[in-house]
Amino acid sequence: MDQTVGRNGGAPGGAGSRRLLLSTALATAGETRLALVIAVVAFVAFLAVVPLARVPLARMPAFIPGYQAALFFIDLITAVLLYDQFVRVQTRGILFLAAGYLFDAFIIVAHTLSFPGAFAPTGLLGGNDQTTAWLYVFWHGGFPLFVMCYVIWDRGVIDKDRSPWTPRQVIWGIIGSIVGVAVLTLAFVLIATVGHDLLPIVMQGGDYSLLVTKGISPTVWGLTFIAMLLLWRREQRVMDLWLMLVMWIWLLDIALSAVVGSSRFDLGFYVGRLFGLIAASFLVLALIVETIKLYSSALSEAASAEQKVAELKRAYASAEISPSKKGGGEPVEAYVQKQNIAYYQTLLKSMSLGEDQRRTVEKLLSEEKGKLGRLPPASD
């Protein structure tokens, strides 16, 4: 029988219950403990670096292109995997989160090109000495806002009566988000370059302590902290758990890079960016691991289904199952489809199914009924 969905999106029964998607599955106790351990270790490392954060180190402008190239590809891959989650789950929250990671990838390119000394003494975007600092602010202040939108729409605070998306709406939703993110990034770049005179001065040489004294860095830090708090819920999803960890280490990144630290190429500058790279990696690793698990699960389920069909065919052929027991000699395919339909109908009566999981089961049920309707009638 085709058993694919249960509590947390897995097949009910047994210790190896499989989950459908990272965005709908509930976190296990082991995953929660792992995230907590990583958060504590990161905080201890942060406390160890804080007293030395302003110690100047060697200037390495080439560090920025290498570091941010890695960050760009990590964020871009994460965005693609989240768009895949959106196609499957079809919630605006996941669409906002995918757009947030895409925004990060786009603005990282602008920030890298503008960085003094990376490709040209004053950068390549034609701004001034304030441009790179403000692109950093837009980058680190913009992503938490996308996370907040993810929480608001994902939990039904807005748009509570969500109707299923059509394939056309899904495609246009993805295209619209990509175009919207590109336009938003371009607007920030124009503000930081062409409109730099409209922005407050936050850089003096290589010192950006004015970001702190003018309250800009603390505001960005506060937005990140709020986004992290909004992600907490009593029954934590795997997606939200790892995203909370991302925001936690992002907080440490901002604190070292733009609050405690105050100059380019000091210890806080380098370690803060290392924290940023680590933070960016958590969700993409979780998505990749979950994708591998789902693929392995699908292969296992397919092999199991084929084996059971083969067993049923052998049973019919050897008359181990009499026609009277199977509705007067109905084809084995019809018997399998009816068993699947009965199984999915039983699942729909379960109170443990979430809204997204229920929609998935209903879709599978509809597909099984369609297959049954296309089978030839049983012969007497």
Side-chain angles (χ1 to χ4, degrees):
M1 192 186 303
D2 187 11
Q3 297 181 349
T4 55
V5 184
R7 181 168 176 80
N8 296 354
S17 180
R18 297 180 178 89
R19 297 174 300 183
L20 279 175
L21 293 171
L22 196 73
S23 54
T24 58
L26 297 180
T28 64
E31 288 168 329
T32 302
R33 284 194 298 269
L34 177 60
L36 184 59
V37 168
I38 295 173
V40 171
V41 170
F43 186 62
V44 171
F46 168 79
L47 293 178
V49 173
V50 165
L52 306 172
R54 298 195 178 190
V55 174
L57 298 180
R59 297 178 62 86
M60 292 189 296
F63 166 79
I64 289 297
Y67 154 75
Q68 296 197 171
L71 207 57
F72 166 79
F73 284 109
I74 289 172
D75 285 338
L76 187 62
I77 292 170
T78 306
V80 171
L81 291 174
L82 285 171
Y83 277 123
D84 176 68
Q85 293 270 318
F86 165 68
V87 170
R88 300 170 188 274
V89 180
Q90 298 180 7
T91 61
R92 287 179 175 84
I94 299 297
L95 186 61
F96 271 111
L97 190 58
Y101 272 93
L102 188 64
F103 168 76
D104 264 17
F106 283 177
I107 204 165
I108 282 169
V109 174
H111 182 270
T112 305
L113 293 176
S114 73
F115 199 90
F119 297 100
T122 58
L124 294 178
L125 295 183
N128 64 0
D129 54 356
Q130 308 298 312
T131 297
T132 303
W134 274 105
L135 286 174
Y136 177 90
V137 171
F138 295 147
W139 167 14
H140 285 74
F143 181 70
L145 297 179
F146 280 99
V147 174
M148 292 180 194
C149 290
Y150 157 71
V151 175
I152 291 171
W153 264 270
D154 183 66
R155 299 188 183 174
V157 178
I158 297 177
D159 191 23
K160 293 183 179 180
D161 299 324
R162 294 177 295 182
S163 56
W165 294 55
T166 65
R168 187 182 185 88
Q169 288 174 325
V170 169
I171 293 172
W172 281 109
I174 293 173
I175 293 174
S177 70
I178 294 172
V179 172
V181 166
V183 171
L184 179 64
T185 304
L186 179 61
F188 281 143
V189 171
L190 290 175
I191 292 171
T193 53
V194 178
H196 57 73
D197 291 336
L198 302 175
L199 299 171
I201 295 175
V202 294
M203 288 290 297
Q204 294 177 322
D207 186 287
Y208 46 80
S209 58
L210 288 177
L211 279 172
V212 180
T213 58
K214 293 186 177 182
I216 297 170
S217 291
T219 299
V220 172
W221 193 92
L223 288 173
T224 306
F225 184 70
I226 292 170
M228 185 184 71
L229 291 182
L230 289 175
L231 285 164
W232 185 87
R233 64 170 75 187
R234 188 179 297 260
E235 288 189 326
Q236 198 69 47
R237 292 183 184 178
V238 181
M239 175 84 78
D240 293 356
L241 175 67
W242 292 114
L243 199 53
M244 281 184 69
L245 188 60
V246 169
M247 302 312 292
W248 170 247
I249 299 183
W250 188 278
L251 283 172
L252 305 182
D253 168 18
I254 296 171
L256 283 175
S257 302
V259 178
V260 179
S262 61
S263 299
R264 285 174 180 157
F265 306 111
D266 60 14
L267 183 63
F269 176 89
Y270 284 112
V271 177
R273 277 151 180 77
L274 177 61
F275 273 108
L277 187 62
I278 293 171
S281 303
F282 284 123
L283 190 57
V284 69
L285 289 176
L287 286 165
I288 290 173
V289 168
E290 196 72 11
T291 300
I292 293 172
K293 287 181 179 179
L294 287 171
Y295 181 70
S296 299
S297 175
L299 290 178
S300 176
E301 292 291 347
S304 177
E306 289 179 1
Q307 182 181 1
K308 289 176 180 178
V309 169
E311 290 173 356
L312 286 169
K313 286 182 176 179
R314 285 196 299 269
Y316 269 99
S318 60
E320 291 178 4
I321 301 178
S322 65
S324 60
K325 292 182 179 180
K326 293 291 169 279
E330 65 180 343
V332 64
E333 291 85 356
Y335 171 70
V336 172
Q337 302 300 336
K338 289 181 179 179
Q339 292 297 309
N340 288 343
I341 290 171
Y343 175 72
Y344 291 135
Q345 289 173 337
T346 301
L347 281 181
L348 288 175
K349 297 177 182 178
S350 171
M351 298 303 292
S352 63
L353 289 179
E355 181 181 347
D356 298 328
Q357 295 165 348
R358 182 170 294 276
R359 285 205 301 268
T360 301
V361 175
E362 288 173 347
K363 181 179 178 181
L364 292 171
L365 177 60
S366 176
E367 291 175 355
E368 293 299 320
K369 288 182 177 179
K371 292 177 184 177
L372 182 62
R374 290 192 294 271
L375 290 176
S379 58
D380 295 332

